[in-house]
Amino acid sequence: MTGVRVLTIAVYISLMGVQKCDAWQSVVDFLNTYEREGMETLHSKWKAEFVMGTNYTKENTETYHEANLELASFVQRNNKKALAFLQNDTVKLSPDQTRQLRFIADMGTAAQTDKHKINKLNKIETEMTAIYNQAEVCLGSPNSCLKMEPGLSEVIQKSRDCKVLSETWQKWRDQSGKKMRHLFPEYVKLSNEAVNIQGYSDLGEYWRSEYDTPTFERDIARLWEQVSPLYQHLHGYVRRKLKAMYGPDVFPLSGHIPAHLLGNMWAQFWENIAEIVKPFKHKDLVDTTEELLRQNYTVKRMFETAEEFFSSLGFENMTDKFWNKSMFVQPKDRHVHCQASAYDLFNKDDFRIRMCSLVNHEYLLMIHHEMGHIQYFMEYSKQPLSYRKGANPGFHEAVGDAISKSVQTPQHLRTIGLIKSDDKQDKETGINFLMQMALHNIAFLPFGYLIDQWRWSVFRGDTAPDQYNEHWWKLRCRLQGVSPPMKRSTDDFDPGSKFHVARGIPYVRSMLQLGASKPWPDAMEKITGQRHMDAGPLMEYFQPLLEFLKKENGNDYGWDESCPEEPPPCFADPDGAHGLRIGWATLVVLSVLALFIGSLQTSLR
């Protein structure tokens, strides 16, 4: 801890009236009591969240709100005792005890002691989440209203009608982010006030502190610089293919790609346009959807397939509670939240998943990803409560992603009978496969980078509320090369259209049994043999694709740093899937020509 933070904590202790722990209470006694009571409190909190997410009712939302308040109270009570042990020079602590006590002493937003403020923050967080979860978009008629998952996602993924994509994109933001814009400044203010109590300058600094790396912001910027050349060439290639599909009139002269054309509501993953942009059209992409349907796979069978994969690696099978209490498909009798999530309910073998799965290739990979989280939970479940989390906030996602990438290799899918065993692997097929991987992994990197860049700026106070949306698009245009399909204003709040912003979840993201018991560089060293983050292996993996893209692009890549002043209009285009685009002038000429030919044929008869 810095000297300022230690001094701040000391002042906080005196203000709270914290006294030295009674001599009779040992550190062991305290940690044992914390373990027992903490498991009960966290179980209540996560069970309430799971129940709310799988059955959105006013009663369940209130129960979740009360469980959050009880958790905050528990954290505050134990924080006082942990700080007293850390400040007591007469207590001899082992390195492990010191690490546990520091985790217990670091409360985050739960440090807020003003009950009115912590209650208000809790309600704001719950309301923003509810706005996102309950948002619906009506396309066409009032009877065709869709939530994000799986309805709107499918529209964005599959439609090739520019007008439909534009309408869906805007209406989702009107129903989600825009409706929570008035809440976000107060959320920022109250969150910052809470972490200030423990000496953090703002919520962003608190989030970054979990990486325990003073140079974290610089390290992330360095990683982005390493992969940026590959992203720029991927962007240039995709832009050219999409121009051939939709016509150049839809694209701004600034070189940006309109955000609604990339097959994802937030343009963060681009694999849904893989068929449009794949380099070699005569070679297949890796897609198991047709075979899953042909073999009559069910959602449960996809989960069983994932379990077999983990079992083959030596991991334990899922528990009975996992199979009996998880939500695998969207129920028809109630409102639910379909954002795929894995849960550790801190109650022995109670691990669950909440998803609205469909039988297709995308969900097969997603199921493996979410079950990877469950395996991580299970592996470190024997650790003390303070260590029951990832080595740093990014480890969970890294593990899930590594697993889902292993699953989608042609070799594995051939082994489990989901692609034909006689499919030949050659250089062209390899480039197509690397393109698929890049459309998911490389396309995501600038979005994952900028979403927290934006929040860190907001939490620091560098971006005022009336600049929220403007700064969001400045970052997206500069770093991602993506622009909005229509004019945006200060009344819009497009960051809030993303779940992680509405829910307040940091976004930048082995030895799984370690949990957080060791500093994350120690855990990474055991997995990779190195202690520092480096994008070199990633660039080496994609080198064949980069060479192909450079040859194809020539000098046709890159974009202006600033957003286009006027986004090009999007015309209704029912033939968009065939690449046909007819401007108004052309349409008039063709109409006149058709009339002339018709009259000529009549006269000839």
Side-chain angles (χ1 to χ4, degrees):
M1 293 184 182
T2 64
V4 172
R5 190 166 302 149
V6 170
L7 177 61
T8 305
I9 289 174
V11 172
Y12 176 57
I13 294 173
S14 65
L15 289 174
M16 294 295 298
V18 176
Q19 303 297 324
K20 302 286 187 181
C21 287
D22 294 336
W24 58 267
Q25 184 183 26
S26 69
V27 175
V28 174
D29 290 336
F30 167 69
L31 291 176
N32 286 339
T33 302
Y34 175 82
E35 187 82 12
R36 184 181 67 256
E37 295 179 354
M39 290 286 286
E40 294 173 357
T41 306
L42 283 169
H43 175 65
S44 296
K45 189 269 186 193
W46 287 111
K47 181 180 179 181
E49 179 166 321
F50 183 85
V51 170
M52 180 184 70
T54 55
N55 187 12
Y56 258 95
T57 66
K58 184 177 180 180
E59 181 182 357
N60 288 342
T61 302
E62 280 299 317
T63 301
Y64 169 70
H65 178 63
E66 291 168 5
N68 266 345
L69 293 178
E70 178 54 37
L71 177 60
S73 175
F74 168 81
V75 169
Q76 287 180 1
R77 291 195 307 273
N78 286 278
N79 162 268
K80 301 175 191 178
K81 298 174 184 177
L83 284 173
F85 278 121
L86 290 169
Q87 295 290 321
N88 190 342
D89 295 335
T90 66
V91 179
K92 302 302 181 184
L93 301 173
S94 69
D96 181 67
Q97 288 172 334
T98 300
R99 185 171 179 82
Q100 287 193 57
L101 290 170
R102 283 179 175 168
F103 276 130
I104 297 169
D106 203 358
M107 299 190 294
T109 55
Q112 180 58 263
T113 57
D114 185 317
K115 290 185 178 180
H116 171 73
K117 288 184 177 181
I118 197 167
N119 187 59
K120 189 173 183 181
L121 176 58
N122 207 306
K123 285 192 172 182
I124 288 174
E125 290 174 333
T126 302
E127 187 175 351
M128 289 197 300
T129 303
I131 289 171
Y132 185 95
N133 291 338
Q134 295 170 13
E136 289 186 337
V137 167
C138 301
L139 300 171
S141 69
N143 297 323
S144 59
C145 299
L146 302 171
K147 288 184 178 293
M148 173 52 65
E149 297 291 348
L152 294 175
S153 284
E154 281 200 285
V155 174
I156 290 288
Q157 290 167 14
K158 296 180 179 180
S159 177
R160 299 297 179 250
D161 185 322
C162 184
K163 188 77 172 179
V164 170
L165 294 171
S166 178
E167 179 186 8
T168 305
W169 190 94
Q170 179 168 2
K171 284 186 173 181
W172 169 250
R173 282 153 180 78
D174 287 346
Q175 295 302 316
S176 57
K178 196 169 188 176
K179 289 189 174 182
M180 67 181 76
R181 187 199 178 287
H182 68 288
L183 297 170
F184 206 77
E186 190 69 8
Y187 160 76
V188 172
K189 177 176 178 290
L190 291 171
S191 297
N192 281 345
E193 285 181 4
V195 297
N196 289 162
I197 294 172
Q198 287 209 298
Y200 295 101
S201 60
D202 58 67
L203 187 60
E205 187 190 10
Y206 170 69
W207 283 354
R208 294 190 298 276
S209 73
E210 295 194 60
Y211 289 88
D212 199 24
T213 308
T215 59
F216 181 69
E217 284 192 81
R218 292 199 299 273
D219 293 344
I220 294 297
R222 175 178 51 80
L223 291 173
W224 170 238
E225 288 176 4
Q226 282 185 273
V227 300
S228 182
L230 174 56
Y231 177 78
Q232 289 184 16
H233 276 285
L234 177 68
H235 179 283
Y237 184 85
V238 167
R239 180 181 61 204
R240 191 164 57 255
K241 293 290 185 178
L242 289 177
K243 276 188 177 181
M245 171 84 182
Y246 291 100
D249 292 346
V250 178
F251 290 76
L253 297 177
S254 57
H256 295 93
I257 299 176
H260 62 309
L261 301 181
L262 288 161
N264 176 271
M265 184 62 82
W266 308 277
Q268 66 181 72
F269 300 122
W270 301 356
E271 65 263 44
N272 291 307
I273 59 166
E275 197 62 46
I276 300 173
V277 305
K278 71 176 181 179
F280 299 100
K281 300 298 184 185
H282 59 289
K283 299 290 184 179
D284 290 334
L285 295 169
V286 176
D287 189 337
T288 62
T289 300
E290 185 176 334
E291 192 63 21
L292 288 168
L293 296 172
R294 191 188 72 80
Q295 296 186 29
N296 296 317
Y297 263 72
T298 62
V299 166
K300 186 177 181 182
R301 187 178 172 189
M302 291 198 297
F303 274 92
E304 291 169 342
T305 300
E307 183 181 54
E308 290 168 5
F309 170 78
F310 286 104
S311 178
S312 71
L313 298 176
F315 290 100
E316 295 181 17
N317 286 336
M318 296 292 102
T319 66
D320 289 341
K321 288 180 181 176
F322 173 84
W323 292 111
N324 295 330
K325 297 190 175 184
S326 292
M327 186 189 88
F328 297 144
V329 296
Q330 184 173 11
K332 297 180 180 180
D333 61 342
R334 59 189 187 271
H335 290 296
V336 300
H337 179 205
C338 283
Q339 176 80 23
S341 299
Y343 287 81
D344 177 358
L345 272 76
F346 294 90
N347 185 28
K348 297 180 180 179
D349 56 351
D350 199 347
F351 307 97
R352 309 180 193 180
I353 277 177
R354 183 198 67 217
M355 289 179 66
C356 298
S357 311
L358 300 174
V359 179
N360 62 36
H361 183 70
E362 180 184 8
Y363 275 97
L364 179 68
L365 300 182
M366 199 184 305
I367 286 167
H368 282 79
H369 178 105
E370 295 303 325
M371 201 176 282
H373 289 305
I374 299 293
Q375 289 289 354
Y376 203 169
F377 294 151
M378 293 170 67
E379 287 297 311
Y380 61 57
S381 64
K382 302 297 189 295
Q383 289 284 352
L385 183 58
S386 301
Y387 298 156
R388 286 184 63 162
K389 57 184 178 180
N392 70 35
F395 259 60
H396 255 291
E397 294 304 321
V399 168
D401 269 352
I403 288 164
S404 62
K405 299 305 171 289
S406 301
V407 168
Q408 72 181 101
T409 61
Q411 295 90 335
H412 174 72
L413 295 174
R414 189 179 296 111
T415 299
I416 62 175
L418 288 179
I419 60 175
K420 297 177 182 177
S421 59
D422 57 351
D423 285 346
K424 294 181 180 179
Q425 296 295 302
D426 54 23
K427 184 176 180 180
E428 292 182 347
T429 304
I431 293 295
N432 273 3
F433 177 70
L434 285 178
M435 174 62 78
Q436 266 186 287
M437 297 285 281
L439 291 172
H440 183 94
N441 294 281
I442 304 304
F444 169 77
L445 293 176
F447 182 83
Y449 177 48
L450 70 85
I451 193 170
D452 276 347
Q453 288 283 313
W454 178 83
R455 285 192 287 191
W456 295 344
S457 174
V458 168
F459 294 142
R460 272 194 296 257
D462 295 341
T463 300
D466 62 349
Q467 299 172 325
Y468 280 172
N469 221 49
E470 179 185 2
H471 185 56
W472 171 254
W473 282 108
K474 280 183 177 179
L475 285 172
R476 295 204 68 182
C477 288
R478 177 167 62 85
L479 293 173
Q480 202 182 4
V482 167
S483 60
M486 69 280 300
K487 274 279 192 181
R488 313 308 289 153
S489 73
T490 56
D491 292 332
D492 294 310
F493 185 55
D494 295 335
S497 73
K498 180 64 184 170
F499 172 73
H500 294 71
V501 174
R503 185 67 177 80
I505 300 174
Y507 208 60
V508 177
R509 325 274 227 219
S510 97
M511 295 301 292
L512 305 187
Q513 292 179 345
L514 290 176
S517 63
K518 301 291 183 184
W520 70 266
D522 293 352
M524 189 169 76
E525 187 175 24
K526 287 182 179 293
I527 300 171
T528 67
Q530 63 184 43
R531 298 180 61 83
H532 303 286
M533 294 184 292
D534 180 35
L538 182 73
M539 294 298 290
E540 182 180 350
Y541 179 83
F542 283 104
Q543 188 60 34
L545 177 64
L546 179 57
E547 291 174 2
F548 169 82
L549 293 174
K550 284 182 175 180
K551 184 177 179 181
E552 290 289 312
N553 287 342
N555 294 321
D556 185 15
Y557 68 97
W559 57 85
D560 295 347
E561 286 202 352
S562 301
C563 291
E565 292 186 9
E566 190 69 41
C570 201
F571 300 103
D573 190 10
D575 296 314
H578 306 291
L580 179 63
R581 176 155 296 284
I582 302 176
W584 286 109
T586 308
L587 186 61
V588 171
V589 171
L590 289 177
S591 299
V592 172
L593 184 60
L595 288 172
F596 174 77
I597 293 174
S599 62
L600 180 62
Q601 288 175 335
T602 300
S603 64
L604 288 174
R605 291 195 194 101

